[in-house]
């Protein structure tokens, strides 16, 4: 069985393909980032998949790992795509495109939130009116594919620690508390906007700011665009590229320095919060483009949290979300 994986992120698209041989998953097309360009160039013309897996960030089913695409499933995803506007509309457009390209292949949606179905009620529940909670307003959590891979990696290479904190730092950022490989708390909430300062997303802010701006004349579309696409690092210094921020810092750019320091403060506060949820920290892992490639970010975080990380292991992991997607798609195709 051949599984083609499309991982739509807020800053681009990654493509990978796997083949099942003797009950093991083998990568046959290495992970390739195609940015916002066409994906066809990442594939060998002779490659024909049996299944195509698509990362869906939000969706309706937050406790289902993966399922076969149907028109009803498509309608469910559309009903919540405004909650993940930088991901899911693009993922659905890509799904329609791959249906035309591979009509014989099963199209499978893989949900990014399923890993967080184990979050404890005290961390999942918002202190909002009961009728809001009855409508499903709760912490959902995201970057579950990254967290699942981190938990698997730790079980193989780091002695399977009981209390781990996984910091997924990229254009989107979150921090998750793992206890015995399960998510017990995470920083992203009902949408992927809450929590850590991100590339173009604000992270957590005082919600009354939105009421104030709304009263001043901004509508929902303007607020959504500002919060998801014009805030975060970009809002602070004009770029969401950490490499560029580091270059500007080296030249003494004050805005870049402020953006870096705000980001580090946000990450450190979130790690401390997750350590409290886990009851301590045995291991801290960094993943995502910034977490893996920015030594200055890792150094600043670890320096600021030295009091907490003195006896903890620290690792930078090349998170392979696409492998997690392929496994989830395989299980959806061949349920136990």
């Amino acid at each position: 069985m051949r599984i083609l994986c499309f991982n739509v992120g807020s800053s681009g698209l990654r493509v990978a393909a796997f083949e099942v041989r003797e009950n093991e998953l083998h990568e046959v097309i290495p992970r390739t980032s195609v940015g916002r360009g066409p994906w066809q160039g990442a594939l060998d013309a002779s490659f024909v998949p049996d299944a195509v897996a698509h990362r869906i960030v939000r969706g309706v089913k937050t406790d289902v790992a993966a399922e076969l695409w149907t028109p009803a499933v498509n309608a469910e995803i559309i009903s919540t795509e405004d909650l993940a506007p930088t991901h899911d509309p693009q993922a659905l457009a890509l799904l329609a495109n791959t249906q035309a390209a591979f009509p014989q292949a099963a199209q499978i949606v893989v949900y990014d939130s399923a890993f967080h179905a184990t979050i404890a009620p005290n961390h999942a529940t918002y202190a909002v009116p009961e009728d809001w909670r009855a409508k499903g307003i709760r912490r959902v959590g995201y970057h579950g594919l990254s967290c699942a891979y981190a938990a698997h990696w730790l079980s193989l290479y780091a002695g399977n620690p009981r209390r781990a904190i996984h910091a997924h730092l990229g254009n989107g950022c979150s921090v998750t508390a793992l206890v015995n490989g399960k998510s017990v708390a995470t920083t992203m909430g009902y949408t992927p906007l809450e929590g850590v300062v991100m590339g173009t997303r604000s992270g957590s802010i005082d919600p009354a700011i939105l009421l104030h701006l709304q009263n001043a004349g901004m509508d929902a579309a303007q607020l959504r665009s500002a919060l998801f696409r014009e805030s975060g690092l970009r809002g602070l210094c004009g770029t969401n590229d950490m490499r560029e921020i580091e270059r500007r810092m080296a030249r003494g750019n004050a805005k870049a320095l402020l953006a870096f320091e705000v980001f580090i403060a946000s990450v450190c506060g979130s790690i401390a919060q997750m350590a409290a949820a886990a009851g301590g920290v045995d291991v801290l892992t960094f993943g995502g483009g910034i977490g893996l490639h920015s030594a200055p970010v890792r150094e600043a975080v670890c320096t600021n949290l030295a009091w907490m990380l003195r006896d903890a292991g620290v690792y930078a992991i090349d998170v392979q979300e696409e492998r997690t997607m392929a496994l989830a798609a395989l299980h959806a195709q061949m349920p136990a």
Side-chain angles (χ1 to χ4, degrees):
M1 181 179 181
R2 290 182 166 189
I3 304 172
L4 177 60
C5 297
F6 288 104
N7 184 350
V8 173
S10 58
S11 61
L13 170 68
R14 286 200 303 272
V15 182
F18 301 85
E19 187 172 53
V20 181
R21 304 188 207 120
E22 298 178 350
N23 295 321
E24 291 188 0
L25 205 61
H26 299 269
E27 189 176 62
V28 293
I29 297 178
R31 285 182 299 153
T32 302
S33 177
V34 298
R36 293 299 186 192
W39 52 267
Q40 291 84 349
L43 305 181
D44 186 309
S46 65
F47 181 81
V48 179
D50 300 296
V52 184
H54 301 267
R55 177 192 177 207
I56 297 297
V57 168
R58 186 54 169 90
V60 171
K61 302 181 181 74
T62 57
D63 58 349
V64 174
E67 64 180 337
L68 187 67
W69 178 92
T70 66
V73 167
N74 198 76
E76 288 180 346
I77 297 169
I78 289 174
S79 74
T80 58
E81 67 179 6
D82 65 310
L83 301 176
T86 58
H87 296 80
D88 287 350
Q90 294 86 339
L92 288 180
L94 180 61
L95 192 151
N97 187 269
T98 56
Q99 278 183 311
F102 307 111
Q104 81 295 335
Q107 303 288 326
I108 298 172
V109 294
V110 181
Y111 297 109
D112 204 28
S113 297
F115 185 80
H116 296 299
T118 55
I119 292 175
N122 62 319
H123 292 290
T125 304
Y126 287 124
V128 295
E130 184 175 359
D131 61 328
W132 291 20
R133 301 198 304 275
K135 295 174 183 176
I137 302 298
R138 61 182 290 275
R139 185 177 305 282
V140 174
Y142 301 90
H143 289 145
L145 297 171
S146 174
C147 294
Y149 185 84
H152 174 68
W153 189 93
L154 288 169
S155 72
L156 293 178
Y157 303 112
N160 201 21
R162 190 176 75 84
R163 304 168 302 178
I165 308 299
H166 180 55
H168 181 102
L169 307 180
N171 196 52
C173 301
S174 67
V175 182
T176 298
L178 305 171
V179 175
N180 295 325
K182 304 292 184 182
S183 173
V184 297
T186 192
T187 55
M188 280 183 169
Y190 184 64
T191 78
L193 185 64
E194 188 179 0
V196 184
V197 169
M198 308 179 214
T200 65
R201 281 170 266 171
S202 64
S204 296
I205 63 171
D206 181 348
I209 294 171
L210 308 184
L211 300 176
H212 171 72
L213 293 173
Q214 188 178 44
N215 287 335
M218 290 188 73
D219 61 26
Q222 291 172 312
L223 290 171
R224 183 180 296 110
S225 178
L227 291 171
F228 277 93
R229 295 184 173 90
E230 302 161 26
S231 296
L233 295 172
R234 179 179 292 172
L236 289 168
C237 68
T239 179
N240 57 314
D241 187 333
M242 183 57 72
R243 295 164 298 185
E244 176 61 23
I245 289 172
E246 291 170 4
R247 285 191 288 267
R248 293 181 186 181
M249 285 170 56
R251 299 195 297 266
N253 184 287
K255 288 184 178 180
L257 177 60
L258 176 63
F260 184 87
E261 291 179 340
V262 168
F263 181 73
I264 296 302
S266 179
V267 173
C268 288
S270 295
I271 291 173
Q273 176 189 1
M274 292 300 105
V281 53
D282 302 313
V283 168
L284 169 64
T285 57
F286 290 96
I290 295 174
L292 180 63
H293 298 296
S294 177
V297 166
R298 296 195 303 271
E299 181 180 6
V301 169
C302 291
T303 298
N304 279 277
L305 294 177
W307 56 272
M308 188 178 76
L309 299 174
R310 189 170 295 110
D311 298 318
V314 179
Y315 302 93
I317 299 176
D318 184 9
V319 172
Q320 299 179 33
E321 293 178 328
E322 297 75 24
R323 180 171 289 273
T324 308
M325 289 176 61
L327 288 171
L330 179 62
H331 291 151
Q333 277 286 92
M334 297 185 297

